[in-house]
Amino acid sequence: MMQRNRFSDKTLQTIVGNLLRYGVWLALSVGAVGGIIYLLRHGHEPAQYSSFIENDRHIGQLIKEIITGIKVGSGRAIIFSGIILLFLTPAARLVLSFFSFMIEKDYLYVTITLIVMMIIGISISLGYGH
Amino acid sequence: MTILAFTCIMLLGAFVAGLIGSLSGLGGGIIIIPLLTIGLGVDIHYAVGAALVSVIATSSGSAAAYVREGITNMRLGIFLEIATTTGAVCGALISTIAPGSFIAVLFGLTLIFSSINSLRKKEEQVLTQSSPLARKLRLDGSYPDAGGRQIRYGTRNVLGGFGMMGIAGMMSGLLGIGSGAFKVIAMDNIMRIPFKVSTTTSNFMMGVTAIASTVIYLQKGYVQPGICMPTMIGVLFGSISGSRILIRSNPKKLRLFFAVIILVLALNMIYHGIAGKI
């Protein structure tokens, strides 16, 4: 029993480690491609970040805009999709550990992971109200 | 300044932030914010958005290496994420009513206290026995030392650590940072987890804690692609370099390094709080 658990933990370590690594590299590559396009088109323009322009776009609308932007090859939209991939990496890690604990039949930790996912769900739904 | 020049400066700055962030268990975000606002005159909202991106990049980038090396305690991380995510939700709600300057000063004072506290403890003692609750939750573990030998460790005061993690999460929600400092205090000082394990587990947890604020930031337009792109790339390479150094380094030197960083950040926070800039 002890031996089996240790084996499973080792496997989980490898899978989670790889997920984080590939997720991050994917986000980085997409962001870098977008960055190069963005710099080629706008690199010579002055950087104007001193005043903040507040938006209030729903996340769904934002994703729609990004997809439209990618279709026309906008550097900014491609960078944005890289950033979203980066945000999704830890979320995917959580989902993955949920299934790993299921396979391990470690129901205590299945429950714990579920609670964490629920709290994030609540916070996202609260975020919509802002 | 052209966008090209801005991007080059940010790449370098973010690299340094990622390096420090991954070595200390801090998210790197807290270094990105002053660099962008004081150094480059960027609006604080964009800086906070970039800091969040850097927090997640540092977390995932360095956590990948630590998890594979078997240093990170994933059960401990996921268990404590209950506290950090709950805290982050509360923090985000409180941030809408509490005055920023008060929060900044309080945060700075707490950091000074913890910095002195971490310097006073000279010996790294590994607990061999766990408390009954820690055993029940299977929070003990082992990690490889420099020679590849497995060092077993136990933990205690689970509830105390859990409470401190709630505060850490609340700081994340309030200030848009990873608040790794608080996470390391909870694991290091309260639960007596070995320094390498607490630092790496803190890094591992940050990404999930940060998701809570992410959606709000995206919708409000805090995430500016032109700033976040060099931040993400620089921080990632910085944190990967940092994690390579950490695996081969000695905990005593790291502790001193960590204490100095906390102290500088604390003074920075207090100054900005009193000056009414936060």
Side-chain angles (χ1 to χ4, degrees), chain A residues 2 5-6 9-10 12-14 16-18 20-21 24-25 27-28 30-32 34-36 38-39 42-60 62 75-77 79-80 82-84 86-87 89-91 93-94 97-98 101 104 106 108-109 111-113 115-116 119-120 122-124 126-130, chain B residues 1-7 41-43 45-46 49 52-54 56-57 59-61 63-65 67-72 74-83 85-86 89 92-93 96 136-139 150 152 204-209 211-216 218-229 232-234 236-237 240:
Chain A
M2 194 61 207
N5 272 344
R6 216 178 300 163
D9 280 358
K10 196 84 203 150
L12 180 61
Q13 275 172 12
T14 313
V16 169
N18 281 335
L20 290 173
R21 204 169 52 157
V24 160
W25 283 114
L28 182 73
V30 173
I36 290 165
Y38 178 66
L39 284 180
H42 305 284
H44 58 279
E45 290 169 20
Q48 287 169 319
Y49 303 123
S50 54
S51 60
F52 174 62
I53 305 152
E54 188 173 318
N55 287 317
D56 214 349
R57 287 176 299 184
H58 190 273
I59 189 83
L62 189 74
R76 286 174 62 92
I79 295 173
F80 236 120
I83 292 169
I84 290 190
L86 184 72
F87 288 163
T89 303
R93 185 266 282 175
L94 205 61
S97 43
F98 172 78
F101 289 133
E104 269 187 63
D106 187 343
L108 175 65
Y109 273 87
T111 314
I112 289 173
T113 313
I115 293 171
V116 175
I119 296 165
I120 290 173
I122 291 168
S123 84
I124 288 174
L126 280 175
Y128 282 130
H130 270 259
Chain B
M1 192 190 301
T2 63
I3 289 178
L4 186 66
F6 178 89
T7 307
V42 171
D43 185 275
H45 296 86
Y46 292 138
L52 187 82
V53 168
S54 91
I56 299 183
S59 159
S60 298
V67 168
R68 285 168 60 87
E69 296 274 334
I71 302 174
T72 310
M74 283 198 280
R75 276 199 172 73
L76 178 70
I78 291 169
F79 170 68
L80 292 175
E81 273 164 8
I82 296 179
T85 50
T86 308
V89 177
L93 292 175
T96 58
K136 212 168 200 172
L137 289 163
R138 295 205 277 143
L139 296 179
Q150 288 290 322
R152 291 209 64 84
F204 174 76
M205 293 169 63
M206 268 174 211
V208 167
T209 310
I211 297 175
S213 358
T214 301
V215 178
I216 302 169
L218 276 174
Q219 295 183 140
K220 287 280 177 196
Y222 287 27
V223 179
Q224 167 64 248
I227 302 171
C228 292
M229 184 265 299
M232 178 167 85
I233 295 172
L236 265 171
F237 282 104
I240 290 166

Side-chain angles (χ1 to χ4, degrees), chain B residues 165-187:
Chain B
M165 277 295 168
I167 295 171
M170 207 162 82
M171 288 301 174
S172 298
L174 276 170
L175 301 163
I177 52 163
S179 67
F182 277 94
K183 293 194 176 89
V184 172
I185 293 159
M187 286 186 270

